[in-house]
């Protein structure tokens, strides 16, 4: 399904899922000197949070989202589809003095760079252009002011973000197209729909804890930088180039507004550390017992190998990456069949409590469902206490 008769596959929809925007092709983490590291991190943070890579060509010129926001998207509506507000960007008393049911307030929030992942131009109170950034899907507010409003948490998956519902607000789409996007639901996005026309969204993943992980896609198509580039060009609609003959994709757009900024962006992404579990969020004694189950009878550590809890080796490794057939772990094969590998990577177990549901398709609503799945597929013999202890250990990661 195309988005409109005028849209080519390369400029078709969708936002930044699974995050980022990286260097072209299969380049790995760029090397930087110690002296350059601190400025590059600051630059990378700014790019991650505020740079659209020229994707206004999609969100403004084709989808006309600036018109929708100006006329119909109040802060209440925006929060309802999972958009978040950066409280640090708000002047004192802003929320108390503005109508959160008025789209004009949303426009003002965008002018202040307070809507996480949204960048717009406002002229005399009118939103004249709008684009999206990496932070849209891979940052959220900490809810310290109100649900959806607070300090930024870069790298956290925005599990409340309903990218499909946001896209479906576009006046450029017909009813059938809107029905597809509205079917996705919160925390899910299909980064291949505008390439192959198959509607099967996956869970938006976190962007923290990437430093020692070699492949950062569900299907291991390439390293972090590969997926960065894919998302920036094919999903965000950025003005850049992406090529992968395995998928039949060859996109060339000049000037390239993506590639020059990617080394700093990648460095910032790799600096985002996995957050520790919240105090009191798990039973420490049960977790200690569960660690024994994880390493022993549960057989989890055979693939989820500490300290990264994956069998995919880190950046710069010369060993072939380990990928798995869907049948090995009882995964739905559909998404893998749409990828360049046809296989699945072992997902790193990073701050699991922050980003339910689980598995690429969100088919496990909680960690107990994850354990029950593998008990069945791997024919494990675990007692109820062992299962409960294993869940507590997973909460502790």
């Amino acid at each position: 399904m195309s988005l409109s008769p005028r849209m080519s596959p390369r400029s078709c929809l969708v936002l930044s899922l699974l995050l980022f925007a990286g260097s072209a092709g299969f380049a790995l983490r760029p090397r930087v000197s110690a002296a350059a590291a601190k400025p590059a991190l600051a630059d990378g943070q700014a790019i991650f949070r505020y740079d659209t890579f020229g994707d206004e060509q999609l969100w403004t010129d084709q989808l006309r989202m600036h018109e929708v926001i100006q006329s119909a998207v109040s802060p209440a509506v925006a929060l309802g589809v999972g958009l978040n507000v950066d409280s640090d960007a708000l002047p004192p008393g802003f929320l108390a003095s503005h109508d959160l049911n008025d789209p004009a307030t949303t426009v003002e929030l965008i002018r202040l760079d307070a809507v996480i992942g949204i960048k717009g131009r406002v002229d005399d109170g009118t939103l004249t252009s709008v684009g999206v950034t990496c932070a849209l899907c891979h940052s959220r507010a900490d809810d310290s002011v109100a649900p959806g409003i607070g300090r930024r948490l870069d790298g956290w998956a925005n599990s409340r973000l309903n990218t499909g519902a946001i896209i479906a607000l576009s006046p450029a789409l017909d009813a059938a197209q809107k029905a597809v996007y509205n079917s996705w639901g919160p925390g899910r996005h299909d980064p291949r729909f505008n390439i192959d026309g198959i509607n099967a969204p996956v869970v938006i993943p976190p962007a923290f804890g990437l430093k020692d992980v070699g492949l950062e896609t569900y299907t291991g198509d390439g390293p972090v930088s590969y997926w960065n580039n894919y998302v920036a060009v094919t999903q965000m609609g950025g003005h850049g180039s992406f090529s992968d003959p395995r998928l039949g994709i060859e996109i060339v757009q000049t000037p390239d507004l993506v590639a020059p900024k990617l080394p700093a962006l990648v460095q910032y992404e790799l600096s985002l550390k996995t957050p520790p579990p919240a105090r009191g969020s798990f039973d420490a004694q049960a977790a200690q017992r569960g660690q024994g189950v994880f390493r022993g009878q549960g057989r989890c550590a055979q693939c989820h190998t500490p300290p990264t809890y994956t069998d995919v080796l880190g950046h710069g490794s010369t060993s072939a990456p380990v990928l798995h057939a869907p049948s090995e772990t009882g995964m739905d094969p559909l998404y893998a069949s749409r990828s360049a590998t046809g296989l699945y990577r072992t997902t790193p177990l990073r701050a699991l409590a922050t980003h339910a549901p689980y598995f690429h398709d969100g088919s496990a609503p909680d960690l107990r469902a994850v354990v029950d799945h593998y008990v069945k597929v791997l024919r494990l013999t675990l007692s109820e206490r062992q299962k409960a202890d294993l869940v507590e250990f997973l909460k502790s990661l």
Side-chain angles (χ1 to χ4, degrees), residues 23-57:
S23 56
F26 295 83
L28 297 178
R29 180 185 180 184
R31 294 189 178 185
V32 295
S33 67
K38 189 172 181 179
L41 282 179
D43 292 344
Q45 182 188 71
I47 294 166
F48 181 87
R49 292 180 174 184
Y50 305 116
D51 205 303
T52 66
F53 308 107
D55 65 23
E56 289 85 356
Q57 65 183 359

Side-chain angles (χ1 to χ4, degrees), residues 313-324:
L313 299 179
H315 303 280
S317 172
T318 58
S319 300
V322 177
L323 298 175
H324 301 273

Side-chain angles (χ1 to χ4, degrees), residues 2-14:
S2 62
L3 297 176
S4 78
R6 294 176 294 176
M7 291 187 187
S8 65
R10 75 179 186 184
S11 61
C12 267
L13 271 186
V14 205

Side-chain angles (χ1 to χ4, degrees), residues 290-316:
Q291 184 178 39
V293 178
F294 186 91
R295 294 177 174 177
Q297 281 181 272
R299 293 163 48 191
C300 312
Q302 292 180 10
C303 295
H304 294 283
T305 307
T308 57
Y309 291 95
T310 179
D311 50 11
V312 175
L313 299 179
H315 303 280

Side-chain angles (χ1 to χ4, degrees), residues 1 190 192-199 334-335 337-339:
M1 178 186 294
D190 193 331
R192 303 188 190 276
F193 171 67
N194 64 312
I195 303 299
D196 61 18
I198 298 172
N199 180 25
L334 175 59
Y335 187 72
S337 71
R338 302 166 66 198
S339 73

Side-chain angles (χ1 to χ4, degrees), residues 355-377:
H355 57 92
Y358 305 102
F359 301 145
H360 70 281
D361 56 1
S363 57
D366 52 37
L367 291 172
R368 179 55 189 261
V370 171
V371 171
D372 288 342
H373 171 87
Y374 283 116
V375 166
K376 179 179 180 180
V377 170

Side-chain angles (χ1 to χ4, degrees), residues 233-259:
V233 177
T234 73
Q235 302 304 293
M236 293 170 66
H239 200 275
S241 299
F242 176 82
S243 175
D244 189 341
R246 299 173 301 173
L247 297 172
I249 301 176
E250 181 67 35
I251 300 172
V252 178
Q253 298 179 90
T254 56
D256 193 331
L257 303 182
V258 177

